[in-house]
């Protein structure tokens, strides 16, 4: 058995009947010539690298740096030492003199994983090294599927297997994006292990979304940890207290605010973003006079997200003075007169006086004023016009780009969907592709999309792809909800199919193909089988593009089916059991090899097309933990159409362009 992390060097256990030699023997010493010491004495720990070297070269060529008991061969002693080292590593203990026995690990009442899901997690953690960045071949990238597996298991309320906690913590240490989901699945026992291994100390920083206080509900304990705890512990404490009682958290922060360091004040202030309310305004107004510019800027940003705050009113008065209807023009238009100075009041309210390189002072000041101005106030300023009508007005003196960029930032900061919708415009408009990044613009349409509801966001991106292709849509796809809803999934597949038929350079779309593997609805796998064949390369196509596209689509189909199987393995049996009510009885029960096993031919009218030598219709996802691209898990009671690999007969077909047959 191997470990996912190089173990530390072992110490050899001592027994009264098998004393150890005081030092490792030399090359000329044979086991039979050794003399046992009068009393057992522990040897120095042998470095792991020395154990590996001795194992690779053989004990006959290199004497292993371990003590050999009477009647034991050198090879057996080497294997014993390696086993002890591995066990020590898995137990989160380093070789050291025995100390006080740690307190028992806390109980985790959540249900355990089904057997098939447990095996799947073990495979994902063992393969987390990835394929070295290569995107060739048809095998799914298990490294990219681990985050989805962790999220799904967490939503179902399972706990991680105790034996896999070390590997799970190692994975979370290596990838910060895994930490929230990994720690949530690991539960309280991960924190218990983290206190025994310095490499896992990150788990004590409170990266999860727990609402429980680290020290319970004891006010004195909260106060003591706030005053004496490490910075990471204090941040976790403040975050948890704000989620439980926002005003109590604010009072705790205010009690020590004057004595905190500037960098700590900035981090504490940033933790107020969650559950921010008008009750926080007095404290933030005081922070506007802080001696740190970064603290002042953050306080001003937080206040500007409160439309009724005094700072928002002051910013609106300044911005409305600079921007208004053009009274000199015959047609409705917007007139702009940027501020001529950045006075002390503006600076106190968070306006940075010095612009970045290449930016004019007046435009820099104007953008900050508009960004912090409540968007709802512009309706009255422009005669009752709504956001779309205001955005459509012409802007004088070439201020349009600067003004619209500032409105975009304000819409994102204030989470205003009406203004985001107006600034995004029609996705199929001929000029929309150029508006993604107009000359001299700093706007970010991807951030604007995050303000829209999930369904509307997916529709907008799908229409944009249908009109303008994938070249400008990669970042937009990254903010869409997973799995991609129709028509977004169909639009992406259509665009990839069109790119293949046009002979486009295939490696240019590897990023989009990777997103599709993680984000497409697994139910689309059967519909995509027709794209896996090698097609004739059109004239002028990149050499070998046909084979690459075939591999890419095979990998896509195989990954979608594997995702469906993974979710089916996590799904409780269709007997009414679920992790919520199974916790009372000790966990979910299963009658097959895994909770995701489908034992019947299905209860609905769905059918499944079998495009390969996979299991027949009576086999469910749980019966084949590792289906290949040609396996069809088949119908049956499963996790629902979002996770099924088969296509039900009554599933509506998307109305967008169908994939071209090879």
């Amino acid at each position: 058995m191997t470990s996912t992390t190089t173990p530390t060097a072992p110490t050899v256990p001592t027994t009264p009947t098998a004393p150890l030699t005081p030092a490792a023997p030399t090359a000329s010493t044979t086991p039979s010539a050794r003399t046992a010491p009068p009393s057992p004495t522990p040897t120095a720990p042998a470095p792991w690298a020395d154990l590996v070297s001795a194992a690779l070269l053989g004990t006959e060529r290199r004497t292993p740096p371990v003590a050999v008991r009477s009647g034991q061969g050198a090879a057996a002693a080497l294997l014993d030492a390696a086993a002890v080292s591995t066990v020590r590593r898995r137990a989160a203990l380093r070789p050291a003199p025995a100390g006080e026995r740690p307190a028992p690990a806390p109980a985790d009442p959540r249900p355990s994983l089904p057997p098939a899901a447990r095996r799947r997690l073990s495979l994902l953690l063992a393969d987390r090294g990835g394929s070295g960045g290569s995107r060739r071949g048809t095998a799914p990238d298990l490294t990219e599927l681990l985050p989805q597996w962790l999220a799904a298991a967490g939503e179902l309320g399972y706990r991680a297997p105790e034996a896999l906690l070390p590997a799970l913590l190692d994975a979370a240490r290596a990838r910060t994006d895994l930490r929230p989901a990994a720690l949530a699945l690991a539960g309280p026992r991960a924190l218990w292990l983290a206190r025994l291994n310095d490499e896992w100390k990150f788990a004590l920083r409170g990266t999860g979304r727990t609402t429980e206080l680290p020290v319970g509900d004891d006010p004195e304990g909260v106060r003591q940890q706030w005053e004496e705890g490490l910075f990471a512990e204090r941040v976790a404490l403040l975050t948890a207290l704000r989620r439980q009682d926002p005003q109590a958290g604010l009072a705790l922060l205010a009690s020590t605010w004057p004595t905190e360091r500037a960098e700590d004040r900035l981090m504490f202030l940033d933790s107020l973003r969650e559950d921010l309310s008008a009750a926080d305004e007095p404290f933030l107004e005081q922070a506007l006079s802080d001696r740190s510019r970064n603290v002042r800027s953050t306080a001003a940003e937080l206040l500007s997200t409160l439309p009724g705050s005094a700072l928002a009113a002051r910013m609106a008065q300044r911005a409305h003075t600079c921007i208004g209807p053009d009274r000199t023009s015959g047609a409705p238009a917007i007139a702009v007169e940027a501020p001529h100075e950045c006075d002390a009041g503006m600076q106190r309210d968070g306006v940075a006086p010095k612009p970045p390189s290449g930016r004019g002072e007046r435009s820099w000041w104007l953008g900050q004023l508009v960004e912090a101005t409540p968007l709802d106030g512009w309706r009255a300023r422009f005669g009752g016009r709504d956001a779309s009508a205001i955005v459509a007005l012409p802007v004088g003196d070439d201020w349009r780009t600067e003004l619209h960029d500032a409105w975009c930032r304000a819409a994102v900061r204030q989470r205003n969907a009406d203004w985001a919708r107006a600034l995004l415009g029609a996705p199929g408009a001929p000029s929309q592709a150029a508006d993604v990044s107009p000359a001299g613009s700093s706007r970010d349409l991807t951030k604007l999309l995050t303000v829209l509801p999930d369904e509307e966001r997916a529709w907008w991106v799908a229409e944009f792809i249908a009109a303008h292709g994938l070249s400008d849509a990669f970042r937009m796809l990254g903010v869409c909800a997973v799995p991609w809803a129709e028509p977004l999934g169909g639009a992406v597949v259509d665009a990839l199919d069109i790119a293949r038929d046009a002979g486009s350079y295939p490696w240019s779309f590897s990023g989009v193909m990777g997103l599709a593997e993680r984000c497409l609805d697994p139910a689309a796998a059967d519909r995509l089988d027709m794209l896996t064949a090698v097609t004739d390369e059109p004239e002028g196509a990149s050499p070998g593009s046909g084979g690459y596209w075939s591999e890419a689509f095979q990998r896509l189909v195989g990954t979608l089916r594997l995702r469906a199987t993974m979710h089916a393995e996590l799904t409780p049996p269709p007997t009414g059991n679920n992790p919520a009510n199974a916790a009372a009885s000790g966990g979910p029960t299963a009658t097959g090899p895994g909770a995701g096993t489908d034992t019947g031919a299905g209860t609905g009218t769905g059918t499944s097309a079998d495009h390969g030598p996979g299991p027949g219709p009576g086999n469910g996802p749980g019966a084949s933990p590792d289906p290949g691209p040609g396996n069809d898990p088949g119908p049956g009671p499963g996790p629902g159409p979002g996770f099924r690999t088969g296509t039900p007969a009554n599933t509506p077909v998307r109305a967008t362009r169908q994939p071209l047959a090879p």
Side-chain angles (χ1 to χ4, degrees):
M1 179 173 58
T2 59
S3 176
T4 56
T5 304
T6 301
T8 52
T11 57
V12 179
T14 60
T15 60
T17 59
L20 303 177
T21 56
T26 61
S28 61
T29 304
T30 61
S32 60
R34 296 190 182 99
T35 302
S39 59
T41 304
T43 60
W48 177 257
D50 294 347
L51 297 178
V52 174
S53 298
L56 292 175
L57 294 175
T59 56
E60 294 182 356
R61 298 178 57 189
R62 172 169 295 183
T63 302
V66 296
V68 181
R69 297 194 302 270
S70 176
Q72 184 185 39
L78 176 61
L79 291 177
D80 286 348
V84 170
S85 176
T86 301
V87 171
R88 288 181 181 276
R89 177 64 183 83
R90 290 169 64 89
L93 293 176
R94 294 181 173 183
E100 182 180 356
R101 177 178 298 179
D108 191 340
R110 296 177 298 174
S112 58
L113 286 169
R118 177 191 176 107
R119 292 192 295 270
R120 180 70 60 190
L121 176 59
S122 179
L123 290 174
L124 293 174
L125 292 174
D127 195 67
R128 63 185 177 87
S131 56
S134 173
R135 294 300 298 157
R136 295 306 302 264
T138 60
D141 187 355
L142 300 185
T143 304
E144 295 303 324
L145 295 181
L146 180 58
Q148 288 192 8
W149 191 99
L150 292 173
E155 291 174 359
L156 291 171
Y158 290 115
R159 72 170 186 266
E162 289 77 4
L164 295 180
L165 284 177
L168 185 60
L169 287 171
D170 281 339
R173 179 172 63 91
R175 291 181 55 178
T176 56
D177 62 309
L178 296 178
R179 290 182 182 179
L183 294 181
L185 182 70
R189 295 186 175 183
L191 303 181
W192 181 85
L193 281 176
R195 295 185 178 94
L196 303 175
N197 189 335
D198 290 339
E199 294 182 351
W200 299 333
K201 289 298 184 183
F202 69 88
L204 303 176
R205 300 172 189 165
T207 57
R209 291 275 308 171
T210 177
T211 58
E212 298 181 359
L213 293 178
V215 292
D217 297 328
D218 179 20
E220 186 60 31
V222 171
R223 170 67 61 178
Q224 181 177 1
Q225 181 166 344
W226 177 252
E227 294 178 350
E228 302 176 3
L230 300 175
F231 176 72
E233 297 172 338
R234 300 179 71 203
V235 171
L237 176 64
L238 178 61
T239 302
L241 190 57
R242 282 282 295 181
R243 291 170 184 165
Q244 189 179 92
D245 187 348
Q247 289 310 301
L250 183 65
L252 186 67
L253 176 60
S255 65
T256 60
W257 179 262
T259 61
E260 303 288 352
R261 301 182 304 170
E263 54 269 30
D264 293 350
R265 293 199 305 274
L266 181 62
M267 293 296 296
F268 290 142
L269 199 62
D270 195 65
S271 66
L272 300 182
R273 293 181 185 275
E274 191 174 353
D275 299 317
L276 187 68
S277 66
D280 300 320
E281 182 180 357
F283 177 81
L284 295 175
E285 276 286 343
Q286 295 180 2
L288 290 176
S289 302
D290 195 271
R291 55 186 179 273
S292 169
R293 180 177 63 84
N294 291 332
V295 173
R296 295 195 303 269
S297 177
T298 302
E301 179 186 351
L302 294 176
L303 284 170
S304 67
T305 62
L306 299 173
S309 66
L311 179 136
R314 295 193 297 269
M315 287 297 199
Q317 182 179 5
R318 296 178 181 119
H320 292 173
T321 302
C322 299
I323 302 168
D326 189 352
R327 309 295 184 184
T328 63
S329 175
I334 299 177
V336 177
E337 180 66 27
H340 293 272
E341 65 173 347
C342 184
D343 55 33
M346 291 171 59
Q347 294 184 40
R348 182 183 181 275
D349 286 344
V351 178
K354 186 176 180 180
S357 177
R359 188 80 177 274
E361 285 185 338
R362 297 182 64 194
S363 64
W364 172 245
W365 300 334
L366 177 70
Q368 294 179 81
L369 294 180
V370 175
E371 182 180 355
T373 297
L375 291 167
D376 293 338
W378 293 110
R379 175 185 288 269
R381 181 61 173 159
F382 288 100
R385 290 182 173 86
D386 60 10
S388 298
I390 296 174
V391 170
L393 291 175
V395 183
D397 299 330
D398 296 327
W399 283 102
R400 182 179 184 276
T401 297
E402 186 67 43
L403 179 60
H404 283 207
D405 286 358
W407 275 338
C408 287
R409 296 192 297 271
V412 174
R413 179 183 294 188
Q414 300 172 31
R415 314 304 296 174
N416 192 308
D418 290 336
W419 274 85
R421 199 173 291 115
L423 291 163
L424 283 168
S431 61
Q432 189 61 49
D435 282 345
V436 171
S437 183
S441 173
S442 61
R443 77 187 62 174
D444 190 341
L445 295 189
T446 300
K447 291 183 178 179
L448 272 179
L449 284 171
T450 63
V451 183
L452 300 181
D454 290 344
E455 293 184 0
E456 183 179 358
R457 187 187 316 162
W459 169 85
W460 198 98
V461 177
E463 293 295 316
F464 182 90
I465 292 173
H468 308 292
L470 292 168
S471 58
D472 294 317
F474 181 74
R475 293 185 63 242
M476 298 178 184
L477 289 171
V479 299
C480 293
V482 178
W484 289 337
E486 294 295 346
L488 177 57
V492 173
V493 173
D494 288 345
L496 290 171
D497 190 22
I498 292 172
R500 180 185 67 168
D501 291 344
S504 299
Y505 192 65
W507 295 272
S508 301
F509 297 90
S510 60
V512 176
M513 189 66 76
L515 274 179
E517 293 171 15
R518 301 188 297 272
C519 303
L520 271 177
D521 191 333
D526 289 335
R527 300 203 303 268
L528 300 180
D529 254 337
M530 65 181 66
L531 302 177
T532 59
V534 180
T535 59
D536 296 333
E537 298 176 5
E539 184 178 356
S542 303
S545 62
Y548 176 88
W549 281 110
S550 175
E551 286 184 0
F553 281 117
Q554 289 181 52
R555 184 171 59 247
L556 173 60
V557 172
T559 302
L560 294 180
R561 287 179 171 153
L562 178 58
R563 284 175 52 204
T565 301
M566 288 166 47
H567 282 283
E569 292 169 347
L570 286 166
T571 304
T575 58
N577 293 345
N578 56 65
N581 57 31
S585 60
T589 60
T591 58
T597 301
D598 185 356
T599 58
T603 57
T605 60
T607 60
S608 176
D610 188 1
H611 299 278
N619 295 335
S624 178
D626 299 289
N631 292 352
D632 181 14
F643 300 142
R644 292 283 300 273
T645 59
T647 305
N650 58 354
T651 299
V653 180
R654 55 186 171 87
T656 57
R657 174 183 181 273
Q658 295 298 313
L660 300 179

